[in-house]
Amino acid sequence: MATAERDDPETIGRRVQQLRRERGLTQRQLAEPAYTPAYISTLESGRVRPSDEALRHLAGRLGVAFDELATGRPAHLATDLRLRLTEAQRTLATGEAEEAARQYAALLAEADAHGLADARYAALLGLGECGLETGDLTAAREHFERAERCLADAPLPARVPALRGRAVAHYLAGELRYAVYLLETALDELNRGGLHDPDALLLLYASVIGPYMDMGAHARAAQAAEFALALAPRAADPALVARMHRSVARTLLAEGRIAEADASLAKAAEMYRQLRLRTELANCHWMRGYVYAQNGDLERAEDELRSAQTMLSAHRAALYSSQVAVELADVLHRRGRSEEAAALLRNVLGDLSSERGAVHAAAAHRLLGRIAEAAHDTEAAEEHYVRALSLLERAGAAGDLADLCRLLGDLLRRTGRVEAALDAYRTGLGHRTAPGTTTLGPAPARPPL
């Protein structure tokens, strides 16, 4: 974790003078044997900028750490903050998003107070992830935007986690095209500029799969899934490894071995980062399940979608897990297990709304409508179709809208409401022919796989 620059000479001078007096030392006692009392007097008055060598000498004589003398921060603040950051990451990774948000908020306040830019970025990023987990998408987007501003001058790979988080917040709010724009622009810049950071590319490719699928850009979704899987890191059990590194760090801190503790905490943070990547990689299994379902291989589709759900789990990523559940319910319905599918859909609809996963909420209502129609419950079918229609119109998912209008029109026609059916068909044709509904322009440059 990087530290801020040292304080100005006057502030350092006052700090040296205060510590010297607290310890009952004269200027000569503090200066010897390397410096003169006159130099200490000049330093304490703020008229000279002490070198690192001079500060280390003074820190040793005063019994404080170099960083504490140079910046006024407690000796082990940076390492303590890193330990608390990994604790917050662990809390979030185990599904306790609200508690993690409280931990990150406290860290943010302390990072702001001490001017620790890296810790501030990490805390804002964590708060954004908590917002995604709890479904507070507006707050999540604001935190990610602030995190991006923290690293405005940094290379793009360093900013990718915050940028990806902001794009996901827009996607989950139903703003599909803007989410794709953000992710594709970043991918293109990384690949064309030779910034082939595997972690950054993996995050972006895995995150763009969902928006692609919802917009009907299935070929791009499949390609993004293959790229993500090729870039995927290998980690047998990152949660277990992370716990080990955290435990080791605590022991090292107790023994005063700060540098080693810091290194162990960095490894723990990497493991928790990989845990978040596992959530992203679940999208790849989701995509594979979708492809198998489209090809009629329903058994393999169910296996892939259940793998995605296992990786996500309702406790770690309730919103994403609900989205996969909708895809799984469609496969179950097609395999003749409609009651099981309907129960699954009703169970997840509470986690979806027009503001959180609008496209998949619409898909759930659409499928419930089909199931009701197959059971000859026309009234329930129409109700579900109409709810789905309102959700899709807000999200702008034109391809799904056209198909839904066809279903609704067919239902209305069969029940004798011909004029209403014609209106539904016309609405669907308008969306089907709307320009740019699934045409996203040139695909981003390919990674060097």
Side-chain angles (χ1 to χ4, degrees):
M1 185 177 296
T3 59
E5 293 183 2
R6 66 162 70 174
D7 289 332
D8 60 81
E10 288 186 10
T11 302
I12 293 175
R14 288 194 298 271
R15 187 175 298 129
V16 169
Q17 185 180 63
Q18 178 182 347
L19 290 170
R20 177 179 63 78
R21 288 174 175 173
E22 287 176 356
R23 285 152 177 75
L25 298 175
T26 65
Q27 290 181 335
R28 180 178 300 278
Q29 290 172 321
L30 180 59
E32 293 177 344
Y35 298 93
T36 65
Y39 175 75
I40 299 300
S41 176
T42 304
L43 186 152
E44 289 183 347
S45 65
R47 297 196 302 272
V48 64
R49 181 178 181 83
S51 65
D52 285 355
E53 182 181 359
L55 281 179
R56 288 193 177 88
H57 165 81
L58 296 174
R61 298 287 287 172
L62 294 167
V64 298
F66 170 85
D67 280 350
E68 186 172 359
L69 191 60
T71 68
R73 293 192 296 270
H76 305 321
L77 177 64
T79 301
D80 290 342
L81 282 180
R82 189 190 292 279
L83 176 61
R84 289 166 57 196
L85 280 169
T86 60
E87 289 286 353
Q89 287 177 301
R90 181 204 63 79
T91 303
L92 179 58
T94 54
E96 302 172 50
E98 293 181 357
E99 174 59 28
R102 285 190 286 271
Q103 293 173 347
Y104 280 122
L107 285 164
L108 178 61
E110 197 159 349
D112 283 341
H114 293 286
L116 291 168
D118 285 2
R120 184 172 190 271
Y121 172 78
L124 285 169
L125 200 62
L127 285 168
E129 294 291 345
C130 291
L132 293 182
E133 293 286 336
T134 60
D136 190 350
L137 302 180
T138 300
R141 187 173 63 248
E142 291 173 354
H143 289 310
F144 288 129
E145 287 172 351
R146 290 174 64 192
E148 283 188 87
R149 289 196 292 272
C150 282
L151 297 184
D153 298 325
L156 178 57
R159 291 183 276 116
V160 159
L163 186 150
R164 166 260 171 200
R166 182 160 60 95
V168 170
H170 283 290
Y171 162 54
L172 294 177
E175 300 161 9
L176 308 182
R177 294 187 67 82
Y178 187 61
V180 168
Y181 165 77
L182 290 174
L183 296 167
E184 284 196 339
T185 300
L187 281 167
D188 203 48
E189 185 175 343
L190 286 173
N191 287 326
R192 291 190 187 280
L195 302 172
H196 302 304
D197 184 290
D199 290 346
L201 289 171
L202 173 57
L203 268 179
L204 294 170
Y205 279 121
S207 299
V208 81
I209 292 170
Y212 276 159
M213 290 176 65
D214 290 345
M215 296 184 71
H218 301 144
R220 286 203 190 179
Q223 185 180 62
E226 292 308 316
F227 287 161
L229 289 170
L231 291 160
R234 302 293 186 263
D237 187 353
L240 181 62
V241 177
R243 284 197 297 273
M244 179 271 293
H245 283 301
R246 283 175 49 247
S247 299
V248 169
R250 288 182 178 280
T251 302
L252 294 171
L253 278 173
E255 296 174 357
R257 297 157 65 183
I258 304 302
E260 294 169 81
D262 204 50
S264 191
L265 288 168
K267 292 176 184 176
E270 171 65 12
M271 292 298 100
Y272 286 120
R273 184 193 61 78
Q274 289 186 10
L275 273 177
R276 292 201 301 277
L277 288 180
R278 284 172 64 84
T279 299
E280 295 297 333
L281 288 172
N283 281 335
C284 301
H285 288 283
W286 176 5
M287 181 63 215
R288 280 182 166 172
Y290 177 85
V291 170
Y292 287 141
Q294 292 299 302
N295 292 333
D297 192 346
L298 300 181
E299 183 177 355
R300 293 178 73 184
E302 182 178 346
D303 288 343
E304 289 288 345
L305 292 170
R306 290 198 185 279
S307 293
Q309 273 206 309
T310 299
M311 291 179 72
L312 292 166
S313 83
H315 295 294
R316 287 184 54 230
L319 186 54
Y320 300 121
S321 183
S322 297
Q323 293 175 328
V324 175
V326 175
E327 304 284 351
L328 177 58
D330 182 60
V331 170
L332 294 174
H333 172 60
R334 291 168 62 186
R335 299 192 73 182
R337 293 147 63 186
S338 297
E339 290 186 9
E340 184 181 350
L344 182 59
L345 291 169
R346 286 190 288 267
N347 187 50
V348 302
L349 267 175
D351 293 321
L352 301 169
S353 69
S354 60
E355 302 295 332
R356 300 175 66 239
V359 173
H360 284 81
H365 281 296
R366 176 185 179 276
L367 183 51
L368 283 169
R370 287 170 53 202
I371 292 171
E373 195 170 356
H376 307 292
D377 189 347
T378 304
E379 185 177 343
E382 183 178 348
E383 182 181 346
H384 284 300
Y385 290 153
V386 170
R387 287 187 182 181
L389 189 64
S390 65
L391 288 164
L392 291 174
E393 284 179 334
R394 181 188 180 280
D400 288 343
L401 262 170
D403 184 61
L404 182 64
C405 288
R406 177 188 60 79
L407 288 172
L408 179 58
D410 290 347
L411 176 64
L412 293 170
R413 179 173 53 82
R414 283 195 296 271
T415 55
R417 288 170 285 173
V418 178
E419 286 300 322
L422 287 172
D423 286 341
Y425 290 141
R426 291 188 192 102
T427 301
L429 285 171
H431 286 294
R432 179 67 74 186
T433 57
T437 53
T438 57
T439 303
L440 305 173
R446 296 168 61 93
L449 296 177

